[in-house]
Amino acid sequence: MFSVPMKICIIGTGYVGLVTGACLAEIGHEVICVDNAPEKIKMLNSGQMPIYEPGLEELVKKNALAGRLKFTSSTKDGVERSDIIFIAVPTPAQPDGSVDLSFIDRVSQEIAELLTRYKIIIDKSVVPVGTGDKVAETIRRYCKSKVAFDVVSNPEFMREGYAVNDFLHPDRIVLGVQSQRPVHALKEIYAPLNANIIVTDINSAELIKHASNSFLALKVAYINAISVICEETGANIEEVAQGMGLDKRIGKDFLNASLGFGGSCFPKELSTFIRIAEERGYDFGLLREVQRINAQQMERFVRKIADTLWVIKDKTIGILGLAFKQNTDDVRLSPAVALCQRLRKEGAHLRVYDPKAMNKAKMVLKEVTFVGDMNQVADGCDALVVATEWPEFKKLDLEYARERMTHPILFDGRNLFDPKKMEDLGFIYKSIGR
Ligand code: UGA
């Protein structure tokens, strides 16, 4: 059918679309990325990245230069040139826990109207189970000629901050298909990665995504719940997590206790999955508990600050980290931003810093002082808070910070520092679960 290099179109140049496009070009395919925001296409064509993702800029520049990666704002141009079309448009969460699928719907209609020969349409957006079938139905309905096509679900498991590496070295690739016809071409696309590929039906592929993300969120909530018991019993969460993680059946990843998880995926995925289950008559109470534990973890952290500072109003607090985790400039549903908003509401004055997320945070955080250097954050502060696990925070000049603060108090929401060392340095130091 189609031969290598594959002619691929990616619709949507967000985190998933742009990384997918750049990486597919990197493994030799001819890729054209489409976005309906012309200013984004202009940026990309001039080698500027709309997001911060380690390694992405180099990959985009290299493959654009080699002529394997192109950008356009014309869906028509992208679809007509390609045999394989990835849909990677946003699927924003709505307040009631449902997902806005209007972008997917619109793109499916556009693709249908442009279909003149057999193509494979691959869904890479994060979608509720059942979406693949709806995409196929929509394309069939809006396609004027009776052209054959296949719709495939190919969920993405990359993590922000590690997306390029995760894409190029995946634990597995999941392909959900309605028929066997596209399987050979799909395997060819990913052949250079030498990855484990599993082929399932479409609904199973979509469910693998919900089930994996929810399980990881559950794992973080579980270790956070254990951290509470550690605090109450005088145990140490790091030792407990290490002891658990050495059991291969449990695994050591995602056992870092924190002030809670955030980001654009876990919170949305939990709400979606709970709702999907509910619509089918199953009360997924386990996942509602995960949400509750996560919210409670933030509350406990705020209480820890309040218990130590007594009154938060008019205290000056330095916040290290605004991104929802290290290695990204993404502040969507960031626990660090939520903490800032909460402390502002209590009347605190905030001095904040993040190595990459300051610009994005400026759009959501008002009435805080953005500080350009992490070592200056402590100036005049009654307390410091570590809210994101950026590795550079470990290099903070703690002695300097201690001298510049009104009181040397540090709340560590990511367990970056050693409690003994912090006490030796004269800090009142409070972390998570130890
Ligand atoms: C998550 C999944 O890990 C990816 O596999 C998936 O592709 C992605 O969602 C998605 O659905 O698009 P991501 O949201 O980028 O990736 O970030 P994670 O590294 O999973 O972290 C999520 C949150 O959990 C962060 O706030 C992080 O700080 C927190 N976390 C993670 C902890 O508090 N402790 C841990 O041990 C691990």
Side-chain angles (χ1 to χ4, degrees), residues 272-292:
T272 311
F273 207 14
I274 290 168
R275 193 186 157 98
I276 286 168
E278 210 169 80
E279 284 167 359
R280 283 148 179 90
Y282 179 68
D283 175 15
F284 217 145
L286 178 65
L287 296 188
R288 279 192 282 107
E289 191 57 18
V290 169
Q291 293 178 316
R292 195 192 63 78

Side-chain angles (χ1 to χ4, degrees), residues 66-88:
R68 285 192 297 267
L69 183 60
K70 296 194 164 60
F71 298 99
T72 176
S73 51
S74 159
T75 309
K76 185 170 184 291
D77 191 21
V79 172
E80 280 178 355
R81 280 174 187 233
S82 311
D83 298 319
I84 292 161
I85 299 148
F86 281 81
I87 302 178

Side-chain angles (χ1 to χ4, degrees), residues 24-327:
L24 289 176
E26 175 69 11
I27 59 173
H29 301 297
E30 285 173 24
V31 180
I32 179 158
C33 292
V34 179
D35 202 290
N36 62 3
E39 63 283 1
K40 226 171 162 187
I41 294 300
K42 211 167 142 195
M43 265 179 98
L44 287 163
N45 274 329
S46 63
Q48 282 174 279
M49 293 305 107
I51 50 167
Y52 169 72
E53 187 62 45
L56 184 62
E57 188 170 342
E58 295 82 332
L59 223 60
V60 169
K61 284 187 175 155
K62 176 182 158 196
N63 285 286
L65 201 68
R68 285 192 297 267
L69 183 60
K70 296 194 164 60
F71 298 99
T72 176
S73 51
S74 159
T75 309
K76 185 170 184 291
D77 191 21
V79 172
E80 280 178 355
R81 280 174 187 233
S82 311
D83 298 319
I84 292 161
I85 299 148
F86 281 81
I87 302 178
V89 293
T91 51
Q94 306 197 97
D96 65 353
S98 67
V99 172
D100 176 1
L101 293 170
S102 56
F103 297 114
I104 302 243
D105 179 35
R106 205 202 56 227
V107 166
S108 306
Q109 292 179 35
E110 281 174 2
I111 294 171
E113 281 157 15
L114 294 165
L115 270 193
T116 49
R117 59 190 163 83
Y118 175 79
K119 293 187 189 205
I120 302 172
I121 296 106
I122 305 182
D123 183 17
K124 253 224 182 292
S125 295
V126 181
V127 293
V129 58
T131 303
D133 288 341
K134 289 284 178 205
V135 167
E137 209 176 295
T138 304
I139 296 178
R140 210 166 294 122
R141 192 173 302 145
Y142 285 85
C143 183
K144 288 179 200 96
S145 48
K146 289 283 159 259
V147 188
F149 64 89
D150 272 298
V151 169
V152 175
S153 164
N154 175 210
E156 187 44 66
F157 302 103
M158 60 172 99
R159 295 160 299 165
E160 285 181 25
Y162 305 89
V164 170
N165 187 62
D166 284 353
F167 191 97
L168 295 174
H169 307 280
D171 289 341
R172 79 299 206 188
I173 290 169
V174 175
L175 301 171
V177 295
Q178 287 181 316
S179 80
Q180 288 306 302
R181 185 170 180 187
V183 172
H184 178 71
L186 293 167
K187 287 188 171 168
E188 286 287 295
I189 298 176
Y190 289 114
L193 298 180
N194 277 325
N196 284 326
I197 296 185
I198 72 160
V199 180
T200 67
D201 62 83
I202 289 209
N203 285 353
S204 299
E206 289 170 340
L207 260 177
I208 288 170
K209 174 76 182 174
H210 294 311
S212 302
N213 263 0
S214 301
F215 187 80
L216 290 170
L218 182 148
K219 204 171 172 191
V220 176
Y222 187 82
I223 204 66
N224 280 339
I226 301 290
S227 79
V228 175
I229 312 288
C230 285
E231 284 176 15
E232 300 303 324
T233 57
N236 182 322
I237 189 64
E238 304 222 303
E239 290 173 3
V240 174
Q242 191 193 12
M244 288 168 61
L246 286 172
D247 184 328
K248 288 195 198 72
R249 294 168 303 172
I250 297 174
K252 62 180 175 18
D253 294 336
F254 277 68
L255 288 181
N256 296 318
S258 64
L259 74 171
F261 59 75
S264 66
C265 304
F266 285 0
K268 175 177 138 186
E269 189 73 74
L270 286 170
S271 308
T272 311
F273 207 14
I274 290 168
R275 193 186 157 98
I276 286 168
E278 210 169 80
E279 284 167 359
R280 283 148 179 90
Y282 179 68
D283 175 15
F284 217 145
L286 178 65
L287 296 188
R288 279 192 282 107
E289 191 57 18
V290 169
Q291 293 178 316
R292 195 192 63 78
I293 292 170
N294 200 45
Q296 176 193 283
Q297 193 69 357
M298 174 63 80
E299 276 315 301
R300 277 186 67 89
F301 194 67
V302 172
R303 213 175 328 128
K304 222 176 255 178
I305 297 174
D307 284 349
T308 312
L309 297 184
W310 185 32
V311 175
I312 289 182
K313 189 168 185 302
D314 286 333
K315 296 274 160 52
T316 301
I317 302 177
I319 309 283
L320 292 164
L322 298 166
F324 82 99
K325 61 172 191 177
Q326 61 170 311
N327 269 345

